C-alpha cells in the first residue's frame, strides 16, 4: 500500500510541475492592426481607443494626402477633459510614423485632429497594436488548479472504507 501512495504522489507532483512549466512560458500574442482612410473636415477628429498594458506597443503610421493633422494620445481619465495628453505630435503634413509604449495598463485614446478652421485633411493611418501576453495570471491559475486537484485526489483516495474497522 505504501508503494501505491508514493507512486500517486510522484504522479501528482509530476503533473503539478508539468502544469507550472507549461503555463509559465510567456508568449507574444499577435495584436490587432487598425487601418483606415479618413477625410476630416475643419476641426474634425478621429478617435481610436486601445486597451493597452505596460508592455504593449502601438506603432502608428500616417500618410497625408492633403492638409495637416495633430496626433494626440490620452489616457482614459483625461480623454474627456483633454487637460493632459501622454504624447503629442504635429502638425503632420506628409508621412509620419512613431511608436507608443505606455508606462501602465489603461485604455488609451489616439486622437487624430484637424486643427484647421477652413481646410479639410485627408490621410490614411495604420495602427499596429502588439500585445505582450503576461503569464502571471495563468501561472497562478495553473498552480491553484493543480493544488485543487491534489486536494481532491488526496481527499478521495485517503478516505477509508467504512466497512473496515480499525
Amino acid at each position: 500500500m505504501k508503494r501505491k501512495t508514493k507512486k500517486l504522489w510522484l504522479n501528482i507532483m509530476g503533473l503539478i510541475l508539468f502544469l507550472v512549466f507549461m503555463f509559465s512560458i510567456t508568449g507574444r500574442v499577435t495584436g490587432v492592426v487598425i487601418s483606415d482612410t479618413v477625410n476630416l473636415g475643419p476641426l474634425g477628429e478621429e478617435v481610436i481607443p486601445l486597451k493597452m498594458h505596460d508592455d504593449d506597443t502601438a506603432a502608428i503610421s500616417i500618410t497625408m494626402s492633403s492638409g495637416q493633422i495633430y496626433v494626440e494620445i490620452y489616457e482614459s481619465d483625461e480623454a474627456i477633459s483633454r487637460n493632459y495628453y501622454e504624447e503629442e505630435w504635429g502638425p503632420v503634413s506628409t508621412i509620419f510614423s512613431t511608436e507608443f509604449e505606455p508606462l501602465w495598463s489603461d485604455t488609451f485614446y489616439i486622437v487624430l485632429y484637424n486643427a484647421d478652421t477652413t481646410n479639410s485633411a485627408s490621410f490614411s493611418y495604420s495602427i499596429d497594436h502588439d500585445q505582450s501576453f503576461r503569464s502571471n495570471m495563468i501561472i497562478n491559475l495553473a498552480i491553484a488548479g493543480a493544488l485543487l486537484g491534489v486536494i481532491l485526489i488526496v481527499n478521495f483516495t485517503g478516505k477509508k472504507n467504512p466497512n473496515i474497522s480499525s
Side-chain angles (χ1 to χ4, degrees), residues 26-95:
T26 303
R28 194 82 169 150
V29 175
T30 355
V32 295
V33 176
I34 303 166
S35 59
D36 198 4
T37 300
V38 180
N39 185 16
L40 291 180
L43 301 177
E45 67 183 18
E46 175 87 5
V47 179
I48 302 104
L50 288 177
K51 174 67 177 161
M52 298 181 73
H53 300 283
D54 55 354
D55 289 339
D56 294 355
T57 57
I60 304 166
S61 299
I62 299 172
T63 304
M64 298 296 299
S65 301
S66 66
Q68 60 184 12
I69 62 169
Y70 289 86
V71 180
E72 299 167 340
I73 298 178
Y74 296 94
E75 68 168 316
S76 62
D77 294 339
E78 301 294 333
I80 296 172
S81 64
R82 295 200 179 165
N83 292 328
Y84 175 77
Y85 51 82
E86 298 302 316
E87 297 282 342
E88 180 187 36
W89 300 276
V92 175
S93 57
T94 57
I95 296 175

Side-chain angles (χ1 to χ4, degrees), residues 140-154:
N140 292 339
L141 288 175
I143 291 172
L147 290 176
L148 179 64
V150 168
I151 291 169
L152 290 174
I153 290 172
V154 169

Side-chain angles (χ1 to χ4, degrees), residues 160-166:
K160 291 184 178 181
N161 191 344
N163 297 331
I164 299 175
S165 61
S166 303

